[in-house]
């Protein structure tokens, strides 16, 4: 079988084994759900059908009871390289990405130097050549991310950069934001905004509400985010620019998004796994691991995000993976760094919070439900697949340090295809990676795939994650859903939950 | 509380054992007579007691000290200073016995140059008295310190000897002696 | 409470009404010690108390230091200057160093809320919160409770004690004041008292701790301030809120004035200090609206002329100096409670204030361990305070 490789993705090492068979799974992609084995030859899918007999010498990956999905796409990760390698590197970040089921991650430009010129874009691509997932650099909107003048967006766009953002330092100047959106129209790129009015945020450290008042920590009001969401939606409407709203966190922001989409504004939005799962009550012990921007909001906001996801008004779940070494987190709350890691836990958190607690299309696929593995859960003799109530039925999962996972109410929960769309094909389209990533699993498609054991329960151990940093807010919590295998351009980078390099 | 026979013994609010009485060794009258005798001895030793300060040790020595001071006044027709002293903060075994907020220390006058008569219910190892001597030092420099106890049950661990004793009562270490104006009872302490 | 012995004092909520009552009772003991010719006891001999103040403080640091020394503990003082923290050492490493040196207790003040709580997670030694950011100042709340409970013991507010200078000396003395157990046991000691806390509530750790503590002791707490100087949400607070001081001043038994925290951003909220004074300061015309028996409190340091007019700080109804004076016995009580090994106070989560205040009356007392006297005073209530406190026969 002769394969043609896209030049920019030719990798010099780790030529994939020639053939891989994913056997016994249920394929879920943007076209639907079907019971099928998937044969990968080289970098592409060569067959998708039931009962493929393993050819000689093929690597067989078992997928009994698992979902075979297009690889996940993260719109928002801080890889810290170049410049902050003590926190993370492209190698360690993409290893986590692979372990988390991702085959592509958009790298935020707040590195040192920042990704604000073609040279840095090339450097990041160069470092990422051997990475375990595709690293998609996002460019800075403004030079040095200083919010003063535009960065050379066109030269970066020529290299294939499709998303520009000053994430972490929200673009405050409304005139400059208007300019960026106008300029982006000509380049055909997306402007992504971290929505926070710095005046209204006023040095706040946590969500302004009951908990900030109780804990005596300065609060960031919801209106600091909503003011910016509102302003940028108006600017997108005026300019026709494509606007992506990063990590929305408040009920008010979702309302504004609903209205904007109704009016036909070209706007997309993402939410993070931590904003849909945790509330500001997590801060009760003042652990800076819960310090994140935007801050963890209250229960009402979390429910609004669940609603936004279930009504499809939110387009993607993105990690905002933000590694920080322990010395940046084991300090007084006001001095602690902002952010949490998430690549390895995102899918499991999303499944735990939003996943429908039933099997997908079991009858359609005409397979024995008991073939779906659910270790540790109550798989009754009759194939009764009810997950024990402490994970699913109740409101929360294993509280640690006062933090509890907020599980969506049953009517807001999503089916597996719906949930995977938010983590794979929808974000792939926003980042213009479709169909290389997130495309349907069919003959001839690029073999960017992940195999998910949706009911596997596991407990997060910060020390066991592949990050250089430990700042996961989910340490010690039990989650549901684990990535079993990941194939990146045909290369089985994760087999049975173990990174292959 | 006197009618209660078996008593839960508390250390602070922690229950450490149960006191089971087994024999009455002094009646109320005997206690009263012993106190009267000791008062006479104190008055005799201190030439009438114009410079005597009677200090009861918290908590068992306090009612005895009150009674002793009243008796002194009856006998001599003149009064003595009466105070109380809690030694919890001076003990060498801090932590074994908590400060009882109700066990107050009250020293009625400057004790420098005066004779302080410490009054306690039972003398046993001598550690309470040692602590009391330390505590008194923080209030002044008495001319002399004397010790009056209702029961001396032996087993001293320090070179301390009472000057005035109501009754010498040989005991075992695992026994317990309960002293009040109503009498003296010996019993067993069952630790929980 | 899983651990019955209090190991840290991070928030006034660690104590509850029972714990507050116990600290107050212990403070009576130490108030007496403070009156002795040699106001020092060997209770904490051999213990080391580290004082780490990462924010300026005079009265709190001095008062903790004095308290520790009067208990014969050794003290180590650590400031934001003159320590390795200036060389980039983290608080975590500093705390570990103190632990390695052998400190038994860390009294910590920090401009950021939550630092004592974080530090307590990093160390096994006892941690006392001496003020963290806007969050809490639990020992100040204990002082304020103690000050008011002492006034109650004198008969206030039914009896006018404000104009009576004679009372000032007897505060805290068991010998002269009625003891708390003379209250009906089920009665919380501040029941029926209405306390208005006035001023910059939002940035005030004292307001947070005091609101909780006063309410626990049965008082009714009213916060008086303008919305920008109030916390966004009071859903956790057992208080009511009023914006206009003059509308409630006539009902108050205690007017608790706060300092405007210009260093924490309080100064930006109100256009001018004059305007703040206009709205919330105690001046002689407002004093006239306050009931005659009402008392004035302030955690200090006082900005004379801003929160309170110059002369009223020293008025007989002002408890400001009593608050300061009560600092030492309260902090002695706290340190003793945390550090005197198992003899520290045990908090039973199911016990109530009334049992805490009256448990002595059951007459069930201590048994000593092997090396101490076995004795009991079961049949005689050790009620010395009234009788023994007088010269017999006179």
């Amino acid at each position: 079988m002769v394969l043609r490789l896209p030049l920019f993705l030719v990798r010099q090492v780790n030529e994939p084994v020639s053939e891989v068979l994913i056997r016994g799974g249920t394929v879920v992609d943007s076209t639907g759900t079907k019971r099928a084995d998937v044969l990968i030859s080289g970098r592409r899918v060569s067959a998708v059908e039931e009962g493929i007999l393993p050819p000689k010498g093929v690597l067989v990956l078992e997928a009994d009871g698992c979902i075979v999905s297009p690889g996940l796409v993260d719109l928002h990760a801080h890889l810290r390289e170049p410049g902050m390698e003590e926190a993370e590197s492209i190698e360690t970040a993409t290893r986590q990405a692979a372990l988390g089921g991702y085959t592509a991650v958009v790298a935020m430009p707040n590195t040192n130097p920042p990704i604000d010129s073609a040279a840095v874009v090339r450097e990041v691509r160069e470092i990422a050549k051997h990475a375990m997932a595709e690293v998609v650099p996002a460019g800075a909107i403004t030079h040095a991310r200083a919010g003063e003048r535009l960065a050379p967006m066109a030269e970066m766009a020529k290299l294939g950069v499709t998303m520009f953002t000053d994430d972490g330092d929200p673009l405050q100047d409304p005139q400059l934001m208007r300019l960026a959106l106008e300029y982006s129209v000509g380049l055909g790129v997306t402007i992504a905004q971290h929505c926070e009015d710095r005046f209204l945020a006023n040095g706040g450290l946590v969500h302004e509400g009951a908990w900030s008042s109780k804990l005596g920590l300065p609060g960031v009001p919801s209106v600091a985010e909503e003011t910016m969401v509102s302003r940028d939606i108006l600017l997108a409407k005026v300019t026709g620019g494509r606007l992506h709203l990063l990590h929305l966190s408040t009920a008010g922001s979702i309302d504004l998004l609903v209205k904007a989409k109704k009016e036909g504004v070209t706007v997309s939005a993402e939410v993070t796994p931590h904003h849909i799962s945790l509330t500001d009550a997590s801060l009760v012990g003042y652990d800076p691991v819960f310090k994140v921007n935007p801050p963890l909001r209250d229960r009402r906001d979390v429910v609004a995000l669940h609603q936004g996801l279930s009504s499809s008004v939110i387009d993607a779940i993105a990690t905002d993976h933000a590694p920080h070494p322990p010395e940046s987190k084991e300090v007084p709350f006001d001095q602690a760094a902002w952010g949490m890691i998430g690549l390895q836990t995102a899918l499991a958190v999303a499944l735990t919070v939003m996943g429908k607690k039933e099997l997908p299309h079991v009858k359609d696929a005409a397979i024995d439900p008991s073939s779906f593995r659910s270790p540790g859960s109550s798989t009754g003799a009759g194939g009764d697949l009810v997950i024990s109530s402490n994970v699913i039925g109740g409101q929360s999962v294993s509280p640690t340090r006062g933090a509890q996972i907020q599980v969506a109410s049953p009517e807001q929960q999503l089916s597996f295809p719906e949930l995977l769309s938010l983590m794979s094909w929808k974000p792939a389209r926003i980042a213009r990676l479709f169909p290389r990533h997130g495309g349907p699993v069919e003959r001839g498609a690029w073999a960017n795939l992940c195999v998910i054991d949706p009911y596997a329960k596991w407990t997060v151990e910060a020390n066991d994650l592949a990050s250089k940093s430990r700042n996961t807010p989910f340490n010690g919590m039990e989650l549901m859903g684990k990535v079993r295998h990941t194939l990146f351009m045909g290369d089985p980078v994760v087999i049975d939950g173990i990174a292959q390099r | 509380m006197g009618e209660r026979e078996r008593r839960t013994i508390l250390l602070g609010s922690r229950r450490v054992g149960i006191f089971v009485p087994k024999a009455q060794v002094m009646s109320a009258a005997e206690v009263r007579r012993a106190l009267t005798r000791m008062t006479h001895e104190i008055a005799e030793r201190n030439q009438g007691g114009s410079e005597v300060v009677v200090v009861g040790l918290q908590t068992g020595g306090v009612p005895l000290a009150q009674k002793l001071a009243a008796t002194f006044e009856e006998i001599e027709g003149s009064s003595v200073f009466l105070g109380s002293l809690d030694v919890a903060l001076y003990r060498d075994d801090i932590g074994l016995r908590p400060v009882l907020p109700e066990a107050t220390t009250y020293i009625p006058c400057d004790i420098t140059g005066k004779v302080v008569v410490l009054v306690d219910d039972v003398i046993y190892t001598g550690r309470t008295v040692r602590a009391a001597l330390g505590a008194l030092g923080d209030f002044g420099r008495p001319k002399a310190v004397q010790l009056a106890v209702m029961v001396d049950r032996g087993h001293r661990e320090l070179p301390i000897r009472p000057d005035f004793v109501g009754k010498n009562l040989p005991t075992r270490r695992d026994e317990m002696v309960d002293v009040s104006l109503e009498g003296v009872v010996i019993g067993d302490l069952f630790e929980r | 409470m899983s651990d019955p012995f209090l190991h840290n004092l991070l928030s006034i909520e660690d104590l509850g009404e029972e714990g507050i009552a116990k600290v107050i009772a212990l403070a009576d003991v130490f108030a007496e010690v403070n009156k002795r010719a040699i106001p020092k006891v060997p209770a904490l001999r051999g213990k080391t108390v580290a004082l780490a103040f990462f924010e300026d403080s005079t009265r709190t640091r001095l008062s903790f230091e004095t308290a520790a020394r009067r208990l014969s503990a050794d003290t180590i003082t650590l400031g934001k200057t003159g320590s390795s923290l200036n060389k980039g050492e983290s608080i975590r490493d500093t705390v570990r160093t103190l632990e390695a040196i052998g400190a038994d207790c860390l009294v910590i003040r920090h401009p950021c809320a939550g630092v004592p709580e974080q530090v307590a997670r990093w160390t096994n030694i006892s941690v006392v919160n001496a003020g963290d950011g806007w969050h809490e100042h639990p020992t100040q709340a204990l002082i304020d409770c103690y000050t008011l409970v002492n006034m109650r013991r004198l008969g206030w507010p039914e009896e006018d004690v404000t104009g009576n200078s004679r009372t000032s000396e007897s505060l805290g003395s068991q010998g002269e004041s009625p003891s708390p157990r003379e209250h009906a046991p089920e009665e919380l000691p501040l029941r029926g008292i209405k306390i208005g806390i006035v001023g910059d509530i939002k940035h005030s750790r004292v307001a947070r701790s005091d609101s909780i503590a006063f309410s626990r002791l049965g008082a009714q707490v009213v916060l008086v301030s303008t919305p920008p100087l109030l916390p966004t949400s009071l859903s956790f607070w057992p208080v009511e809120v009023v914006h206009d001081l003059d509308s409630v001043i006539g009902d108050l038994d205690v007017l608790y004035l706060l300092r405007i925290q210009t260093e924490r951003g309080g100064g930006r909220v109100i256009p001018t200090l004059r305007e703040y004074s206009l709205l919330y300061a105690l001046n002689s015309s407002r004093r006239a609206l306050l009931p005659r028996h009402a008392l004035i409190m302030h955690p200090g340091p006082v900005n004379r002329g801003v929160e309170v007019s110059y002369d009223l700080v020293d008025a007989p109804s002002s408890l400001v100096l009593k608050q300061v004076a009560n600092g030492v016995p309260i902090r002695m009580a706290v340190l003793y409670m945390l550090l005197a090994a198992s003899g520290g106070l045990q908090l039973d989560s199911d016990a109530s204030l009334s049992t805490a205040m009256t448990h002595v009356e059951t007459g069930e007392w201590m048994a000593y361990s092997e090396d101490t006297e076995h004795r009991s005073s079961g049949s005689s209530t050790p009620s010395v305070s009234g009788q023994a406190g007088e010269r017999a026969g006179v």
Side-chain angles (χ1 to χ4, degrees), chain C residues 33-86:
Chain C
V33 168
N34 279 309
K35 289 189 176 134
R36 296 182 188 174
I38 300 174
K40 182 162 181 154
V41 289
L44 296 185
R45 205 168 46 178
K47 303 277 186 186
T48 300
V49 175
L51 304 157
F53 279 67
F54 298 98
E55 190 182 67
D56 293 334
S57 162
T58 309
R59 66 197 64 216
T60 305
R61 187 171 55 76
L62 288 179
S63 148
F64 266 112
E65 196 163 347
T66 306
R69 291 184 173 171
R70 289 192 174 171
L71 290 166
S72 301
D74 297 312
T75 58
I76 309 173
T77 306
L78 202 74
K80 57 181 176 179
T81 54
S83 72
S84 294
L85 290 156
N86 286 344

Side-chain angles (χ1 to χ4, degrees), chain A residues 55-281:
Chain A
K56 210 170 173 7
V58 75
L59 171 68
V60 179
L61 300 179
E62 297 296 344
D64 277 352
C66 292
I67 290 168
V68 181
S69 163
L72 309 184
V73 175
D74 188 12
L75 287 174
H76 194 151
H78 299 272
L79 308 188
R80 302 294 185 223
E81 190 174 1
M84 287 166 270
E85 289 83 357
E86 74 280 4
E88 197 77 284
S89 66
I90 285 175
E91 184 195 335
T92 56
T94 56
R95 183 172 296 125
Q96 293 166 79
L99 287 164
Y102 288 95
T103 54
V105 290
V106 174
M108 288 290 120
N110 62 336
T111 47
N112 185 17
I115 308 176
D116 65 349
S117 68
V120 187
V121 172
R122 282 195 206 95
E123 190 197 342
V124 170
R125 287 229 176 103
E126 177 64 26
I127 303 168
K129 213 153 59 178
H130 309 305
M132 292 169 75
E134 186 171 340
V135 173
V136 183
I141 301 172
T142 63
H143 175 71
R145 303 176 57 256
E148 284 162 7
R149 58 189 168 90
L150 291 186
M153 288 163 65
E155 71 172 38
M156 290 188 269
K158 272 230 157 62
L159 292 178
V161 175
T162 61
M163 187 181 275
F164 291 85
T165 179
D166 277 5
D167 178 50
D169 288 296
L171 191 45
Q172 301 293 310
D173 181 341
Q175 158 59 13
L176 197 57
M177 186 62 182
R178 179 192 167 162
L179 189 61
L181 281 164
E182 282 180 326
Y183 196 50
S184 73
V185 173
L187 301 175
V189 297
T190 302
I191 299 292
Q193 174 73 298
H194 167 161
C195 294
E196 179 191 342
D197 182 305
R198 283 281 153 98
F199 287 100
L200 283 169
N202 194 28
L205 300 172
V206 299
H207 173 60
E208 183 180 277
W211 279 99
S212 70
S213 302
K214 176 173 173 58
L215 297 171
L217 288 169
V220 183
S222 297
V223 72
E225 174 173 312
E226 290 151 10
T227 300
M228 191 71 103
V229 169
S230 181
R231 181 197 83 175
D232 288 355
I233 284 172
L234 291 173
L235 290 173
K237 196 165 148 186
V238 169
T239 58
R242 201 190 305 265
L243 175 68
H244 179 66
L245 301 171
L246 300 167
H247 47 47
L248 293 186
S249 67
T250 76
S253 293
I254 303 303
D255 290 345
L256 290 164
L257 182 67
V258 169
K259 191 161 159 280
K261 286 199 163 181
K262 261 190 202 141
E263 292 173 3
V265 180
T266 48
V267 58
S268 57
E270 65 181 38
V271 294
T272 69
H274 46 270
H275 286 116
I276 64 173
S277 59
L278 300 172
T279 67
D280 55 350

